[in-house]
């Protein structure tokens, strides 16, 4: 009796094993082939085909628009002078936000090459990832500022000049990288907290030597501006130290690439007294009467020297002291 | 001896079943996921970052870190492998059409922005417009806190080319200045947001099939383009983290393993019904239209309870949809712009007042 039972059990096991093995083999074979799962995918397939039709329609529309644009006197995009924008940046809470909205502005401007220079001993992953996903043509550089030249916690923002080494590094790269090419280009220094209108970039694109325009919300005034008479800049309208050679903000001028390459010694002097940073660069490049006024003879404000508040971290600091700070893995 | 045989038997039984289950599980889910992502990717790749696909020169300098993003196209290739023609067609030059063409398929995002006159207003609206010009199917409802629509805003809106609606309502002065506890001030922007809600209810028919999402965007915050795509799939009310609010690096909803919101990760009064910033949620238009009595409470609202005053009339905690990878990514920053120091203007004003800033 016992042996027969055992035998039965053994056969049961063997049968079971064979069945399961066959089932597995069958399943594996099914995987290799395309599944006929039409009942899952029907609504999603419909959505995809709808989107696809939409896409074709839009592409046709775009092609039609481009076709009608050709007869006009528009220079093909590749011959537009490239605008090289040099942005020094440094790590702080609002850095990602500032660079994000800056990239959103730059993404609208054709033939723009963004040179981001970090105040850091190495490239940070935050900036690298942001630039990579932004869609803007970019160059990612870095140079750390020496400790004694850096603003310390609690220093007023005007105490030491900021971004000097970084802008100089941007100029150095430009001179190195573009020295053999004869292409037209414009160099613009854009800080990461200012606000730029799209029209500004079109105004500066055809700079021959150095072009200038008004800047809003700077120098303790609603705007600072060059004063234009007879199509030439005769003096500057500014409320603070108007006797500087070029009493302008960094965002108020652009230099042609040709000039930057022709004067390889011209760069920003970190030792210059407060407010003379721009002048230290420009005096080696151009004289007052050579300046090209833009923005409708310097009567429109196309760039604003906005500054972003430092976010209050009182509660964060309190929480961190208790060991309950917000997850540092979440990138802000 | 029987022990070993038993163990062998057990292993032989269990092994094929575990293999079967894991393999079957994978194969069943993967195609479904792929299709959903493909739809999403089609929209994203075409509209959001088309520059990726632009024909570009590739410079491999030692300085490194240069060049456009070129690997992005591979994502869509993986998922839409059967539709090779779509992937090829999408790889075109970035066309600088502003704003992107209107799509019949995407839900419209109605963005309500209250604004008021101050020196940085034009700058804020300019950079906000620069952001919005990248978002397809966007409708900007700008409500001024003024007696009549100002020419500055009118001109700015017209020049951007965006799809917009320009409204205005003035917050009565005494509501702004009075500070006693019995009649506290109306939080800024409330009347303007309510006016926009009323405009939406008057303009849109609840029975129409027009899909829409309502989002309250203040003019000094910073928004990533990904945020708008996240909110487009809102069914009732969706939520996500916001950076730099509540004195923290970020405030965020608490999401459990089932993907439901069960609390709020904030320090400032986390027991509010909805401890979230204005920029941290979006509402489906249908919900707004079906509950025509829901507005932001004007008077008697404690600091930080403004958002709750609207949301509690619309939805419960359970209905909230967490976005941004289950509320782990920051897609919106509550930046604030410094008030510019205008000392050098002096009493009479130094600069030409005719020049608009």
């Amino acid at each position: 009796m016992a042996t027969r039972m055992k035998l039965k059990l053994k056969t049961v096991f063997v049968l079971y094993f064979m069945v399961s093995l066959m089932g597995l083999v069958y399943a594996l074979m099914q995987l290799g082939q395309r599944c006929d799962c039409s009942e899952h995918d029907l609504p999603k397939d419909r959505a995809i085909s709808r989107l696809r039709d939409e896409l074709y329609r839009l592409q046709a529309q775009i092609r039609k628009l481009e076709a009608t644009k050709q007869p006009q006197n528009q220079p093909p995009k590749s011959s537009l002078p490239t605008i090289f924008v040099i942005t020094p940046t440094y790590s702080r809470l609002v850095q990602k936000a500032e660079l994000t909205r800056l990239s959103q502005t730059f993404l609208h401007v054709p033939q723009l090459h963004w040179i981001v220079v970090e105040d850091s001993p190495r490239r940070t992953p935050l900036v690298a990832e942001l630039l990579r996903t932004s869609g803007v043509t970019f160059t990612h550089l870095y140079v750390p500022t020496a400790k004694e030249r850096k603003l310390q916690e609690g220093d007023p923002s005007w105490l030491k000049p900021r971004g000097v080494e970084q802008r100089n590094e941007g100029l150095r790269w430009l001179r190195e990288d573009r020295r053999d090419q004869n292409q037209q280009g414009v160099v613009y220094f854009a800080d990461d907290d200012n606000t730029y209108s799209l029209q500004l970039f079109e105004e500066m694109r055809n700079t021959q030597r150095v072009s200038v325009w008004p800047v809003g919300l700077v120098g303790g005034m609603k705007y600072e501006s060059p004063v234009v008479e007879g199509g030439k800049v005769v003096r500057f309208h500014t409320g603070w130290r108007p006797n500087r050679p070029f009493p302008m903000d960094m965002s108020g001028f652009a230099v042609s690439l040709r000039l930057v390459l022709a004067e390889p010694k011209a760069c920003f002097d970190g030792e210059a007294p407060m407010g003379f940073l721009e002048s230290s660069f420009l005096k080696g490049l151009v004289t007052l009467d050579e300046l090209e006024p833009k923005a409708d003879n310097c009567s429109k404000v196309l760039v604003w020297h906005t500054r972003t508040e430092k976010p209050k971290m009182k509660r964060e600091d309190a929480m961190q002291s208790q060991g309950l700070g917000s997850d540092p893995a979440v990138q802000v | 001896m029987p022990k070993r045989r038993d163990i062998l038997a057990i292993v032989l039984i269990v092994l094929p079943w575990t293999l079967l289950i894991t393999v079957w599980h994978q194969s069943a889910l993967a195609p479904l996921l792929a299709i959903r992502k493909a739809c999403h990717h089609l929209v994203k790749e075409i509209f959001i970052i088309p520059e990726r696909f632009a024909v570009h020169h590739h410079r491999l300098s030692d300085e490194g870190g240069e060049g456009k993003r070129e690997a992005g196209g591979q994502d869509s290739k993986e998922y839409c492998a059967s539709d090779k023609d779509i992937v090829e067609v999408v790889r075109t030059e970035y066309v600088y059409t502003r704003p992107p063409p209107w799509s019949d398929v995407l839900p419209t995002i109605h963005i309500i922005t209250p604004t008021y006159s101050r020196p940085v207003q034009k700058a804020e609206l300019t950079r906000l417009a620069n952001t919005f010009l990248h978002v397809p199917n966007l409708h900007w409802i700008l409500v001024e806190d003024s007696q009549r629509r100002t020419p500055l805003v009118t001109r700015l809106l017209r020049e951007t080319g965006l799809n917009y609606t320009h409204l205005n309502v003035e917050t009565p002065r005494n509501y702004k200045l009075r500070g006693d506890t019995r009649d506290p001030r109306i939080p800024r922007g409330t009347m303007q947001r309510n006016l926009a809600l009323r405009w939406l209810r008057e303009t849109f028919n609840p029975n129409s099939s027009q899909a829409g999402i309502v989002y309250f965007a203040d003019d000094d915050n910073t928004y990533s383009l990904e945020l708008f795509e996240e909110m487009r799939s809102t069914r009732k009310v969706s939520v996500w983290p916001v950076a730099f609010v509540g004195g923290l690096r970020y405030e965020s909803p608490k999401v459990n393993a089932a993907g439901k919101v069960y609390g709020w990760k904030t320090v400032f009064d986390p027991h509010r019904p909805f401890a979230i910033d204005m920029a941290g949620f979006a509402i489906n238009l249908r919900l707004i239209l079906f509950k025509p009595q829901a507005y932001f409470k004007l008077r008697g609202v404690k600091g930080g309870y403004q958002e709750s005053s609207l949301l509690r009339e619309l939805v419960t905690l359970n209905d909230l949809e967490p976005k941004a990878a289950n509320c782990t990514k920051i897609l919106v920053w509550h930046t604030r712009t410094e008030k510019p120091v205008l000392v050098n203007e002096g009493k009479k004003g130094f600069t030409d007042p005719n020049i608009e800033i």
Side-chain angles (χ1 to χ4, degrees):
Chain A
M1 200 64 174
T3 46
R4 222 193 300 160
M5 283 287 293
K6 232 194 220 164
L7 263 170
K8 260 206 178 157
L9 206 60
K10 210 195 241 171
T11 48
V12 165
F13 270 128
V14 170
L15 257 167
Y16 171 78
F17 178 61
M18 295 307 297
V19 166
S20 59
L21 199 66
M22 282 198 293
L24 179 70
V25 168
Y26 174 73
L28 280 169
M29 279 174 52
Q30 281 287 34
L31 253 179
Q33 299 165 4
R34 258 157 183 249
C35 83
D36 192 31
C37 24
S38 49
E39 63 288 359
H40 298 290
D41 306 339
L42 206 50
K44 307 206 176 165
D45 259 348
R46 255 190 264 128
I48 289 186
S49 54
R50 210 165 18 120
L51 280 170
R52 205 188 315 176
D53 291 335
E54 178 82 15
L55 175 63
Y56 287 157
R57 189 177 61 81
L58 288 170
Q59 246 121 29
Q61 205 177 350
I62 289 174
R63 253 177 265 124
K64 218 192 304 165
L65 284 172
E66 285 201 353
T68 56
K69 239 200 266 179
Q70 287 302 355
Q72 285 182 24
N73 269 355
Q74 281 219 3
K77 225 179 286 145
S78 51
S79 79
L80 274 182
T82 307
I83 300 180
F84 295 93
V85 180
I86 299 181
T87 299
T89 184
Y90 65 103
S91 215
R92 74 265 198 209
L93 283 168
V94 296
Q95 181 188 37
K96 189 176 182 191
E98 301 281 43
L99 292 177
T100 299
R101 56 184 171 186
L102 207 56
S103 72
Q104 286 162 358
T105 298
F106 292 158
L107 202 54
H108 285 297
V109 185
Q111 286 298 103
L112 183 144
H113 188 128
W114 196 14
I115 303 171
V116 178
V117 194
E118 291 198 70
D119 184 351
S120 151
R122 62 189 67 83
R123 288 194 185 93
T124 59
L126 186 150
V127 176
E129 181 64 22
L130 190 145
L131 289 174
R132 194 178 67 87
T133 53
S134 66
V136 186
T137 314
F138 68 89
T139 297
H140 186 182
L141 307 170
Y142 61 94
V143 63
T145 309
K147 223 176 183 176
E148 57 273 11
R149 294 204 176 188
K150 256 185 124 134
L151 281 177
Q152 300 305 322
E153 193 72 37
D155 277 348
S157 64
W158 43 261
L159 193 63
K160 297 190 185 113
R162 282 192 302 190
V164 176
E165 282 88 340
Q166 286 72 38
R167 292 188 191 95
N168 285 338
E169 170 70 10
L171 287 170
R172 187 202 63 78
W173 179 88
L174 211 51
R175 284 166 174 147
E176 169 94 20
D177 197 78
R178 304 279 150 151
R179 64 166 165 250
D180 295 331
Q181 291 161 7
N182 222 354
Q183 56 175 222
Q184 286 203 301
V186 188
V187 181
Y188 182 54
F189 298 96
D191 290 343
D192 60 8
D193 54 359
N194 293 341
T195 304
Y196 309 91
S197 73
L198 301 178
Q199 204 191 337
L200 176 73
F201 298 102
E202 299 319 309
E203 291 279 319
M204 70 167 79
R205 218 185 267 279
N206 291 312
T207 304
Q208 299 304 311
R209 300 184 72 90
V210 175
S211 54
V212 292
W213 48 77
V215 178
L217 310 173
V218 71
M221 304 212 296
K222 297 230 281 271
Y223 64 89
E224 266 186 353
S225 161
V227 177
V228 177
E229 277 167 24
K232 289 218 166 280
V233 178
V234 293
R235 62 179 180 280
F236 289 89
H237 173 95
T238 163
W240 187 74
R241 289 212 188 162
N243 297 323
R244 297 175 273 165
F246 294 96
M248 297 192 284
D249 181 73
M250 197 66 72
S251 53
F253 66 90
V255 187
S256 77
L257 180 65
R258 213 177 333 119
L259 197 56
V260 168
L261 296 175
E263 306 285 341
K265 292 276 190 335
C267 56
F268 292 94
D269 180 9
E271 305 287 336
M274 187 172 73
F276 282 78
L277 198 60
E278 295 83 1
S279 308
S280 71
F281 175 62
L282 289 170
K283 67 177 195 282
L285 290 173
V286 77
T287 61
L288 190 73
D289 56 284
E290 285 173 334
L291 294 175
E292 299 151 51
K294 300 285 178 187
D296 218 353
N297 270 343
C298 293
S299 64
K300 298 211 282 217
V301 175
L302 302 174
V303 56
W304 298 263
H305 193 274
T306 44
R307 292 171 57 83
T308 307
E309 271 183 24
K310 195 171 159 189
K312 299 196 184 77
M313 290 286 125
K314 289 188 304 187
R315 297 211 178 86
E316 181 76 42
D317 297 336
M319 293 280 275
Q320 292 220 350
S321 63
Q322 293 174 27
L324 297 168
S326 53
D327 185 358
V330 176
Q331 192 187 64
V332 178
Chain B
M1 281 285 270
K3 254 199 190 162
R4 232 203 293 166
R5 225 190 312 158
D6 286 340
I7 293 171
L8 188 65
I10 290 171
V11 166
L12 280 175
I13 292 170
V14 168
L15 188 69
W17 284 108
T18 49
L19 276 173
L20 189 73
I21 289 169
T22 48
V23 162
W24 200 250
H25 199 64
Q26 284 256 34
S27 80
L29 279 188
L32 287 179
L33 274 173
I35 288 169
R36 197 151 33 104
K37 274 212 176 119
C39 276
H40 196 55
H41 260 267
L42 272 178
V43 174
K44 259 174 93 163
E45 309 288 329
I46 297 164
F47 290 114
I48 300 300
I49 317 170
E51 180 86 8
R52 292 173 171 189
F53 301 126
V55 171
H56 60 268
H57 46 273
H58 209 42
R59 304 179 125 251
L60 297 163
S61 63
D62 282 354
E63 319 280 341
E66 191 201 341
K68 291 188 203 178
R69 190 189 194 296
E70 18 89 77
Q74 287 175 16
D75 289 353
S76 39
K77 231 187 193 145
E78 250 174 62
Y79 293 116
C80 313
S82 56
D83 303 63
K84 277 209 171 61
D85 46 323
I86 290 189
V87 177
E88 291 310 307
V89 166
V90 171
R91 289 181 184 275
T92 55
E93 284 259 323
Y94 182 72
V95 182
Y96 294 93
T97 49
R98 309 194 278 262
W102 199 265
S103 157
D104 291 328
V105 187
L106 295 174
T108 305
I109 298 183
H110 302 275
I111 302 215
I112 298 177
T113 301
T115 184
Y116 66 103
S117 231
R118 74 261 197 215
V120 296
Q121 183 189 36
K122 191 176 182 192
E124 301 283 39
L125 294 179
T126 300
R127 58 183 168 186
L128 208 57
N130 286 344
T131 301
F132 292 160
L133 281 167
H134 287 293
V135 185
N137 282 45
L138 185 143
H139 174 217
W140 196 13
I141 306 173
L142 195 57
V143 194
E144 289 198 73
D145 185 349
S146 65
Q147 222 172 43
R148 58 185 67 85
R149 292 183 233 168
T150 58
L152 185 151
V153 176
T154 312
R155 227 177 301 131
L156 188 144
L157 283 174
R158 199 179 39 228
E159 279 169 5
T160 58
L162 282 167
N163 180 9
Y164 68 89
T165 298
H166 187 182
L167 307 170
N168 70 295
V169 63
E170 192 177 24
T171 312
R173 295 295 139 186
N174 55 346
Y175 284 149
K176 281 191 198 171
L177 296 172
R178 212 185 295 189
D180 60 67
T181 48
R182 238 168 312 156
D183 195 10
R185 293 175 302 180
I186 301 180
R188 194 152 58 191
T190 311
M191 289 187 68
Q192 286 72 34
R193 294 188 190 100
N194 282 343
L195 179 68
L197 287 174
R198 206 181 73 192
W199 182 90
L200 282 170
R201 286 167 175 142
E202 285 171 5
T203 311
F204 290 98
N205 188 346
N207 299 324
S208 81
S209 58
Q210 275 174 320
I213 313 287
V214 178
Y215 181 55
F216 297 97
D218 289 344
D219 58 8
D220 52 0
N221 294 340
T222 305
Y223 309 93
S224 75
L225 300 180
E226 213 183 320
L227 177 73
F228 300 106
E229 297 320 307
E230 290 280 312
M231 70 169 79
R232 237 186 258 274
S233 54
T234 304
R235 287 198 299 271
K236 288 196 168 174
V237 174
S238 54
V239 293
W240 48 77
V242 180
F244 311 140
V245 282
L248 296 172
R249 279 171 75 237
Y250 63 90
E251 269 185 3
S252 147
K254 286 199 216 168
V255 182
N256 62 16
K260 289 262 178 218
V261 177
Y262 66 95
W264 308 97
K265 198 165 182 294
T266 79
V267 169
F268 171 62
D269 206 347
H271 302 296
R272 291 174 270 167
F274 294 90
I276 198 166
D277 182 75
M278 196 67 73
F281 64 90
I283 311 171
N284 192 315
L285 180 64
R286 221 172 300 124
L287 193 58
I288 299 270
L289 299 176
F290 278 163
K291 305 255 174 105
Q293 311 307 323
Y295 282 99
F296 287 103
K297 197 147 175 259
L298 273 178
R299 313 251 299 266
V301 179
K302 263 205 295 180
Y305 282 77
Q306 249 243 309
E307 295 82 3
S308 303
S309 72
L310 174 72
L311 287 173
R312 68 157 187 260
E313 304 195 31
L314 291 172
V315 81
T316 61
L317 206 68
N318 198 40
D319 287 333
L320 293 176
E321 300 151 50
K323 301 285 176 189
N326 263 348
C327 293
T328 56
K329 278 179 23 176
I330 307 290
L331 301 175
V332 56
W333 298 262
H334 195 275
T335 44
R336 292 169 58 85
T337 306
E338 270 184 25
K339 196 167 159 189
V341 171
L342 297 180
V343 281
N344 286 337
E345 288 286 346
K347 284 224 177 88
K348 294 209 203 112
F350 188 64
T351 48
D352 181 356
N354 290 324
I355 296 195
E356 189 185 79
I357 50 151

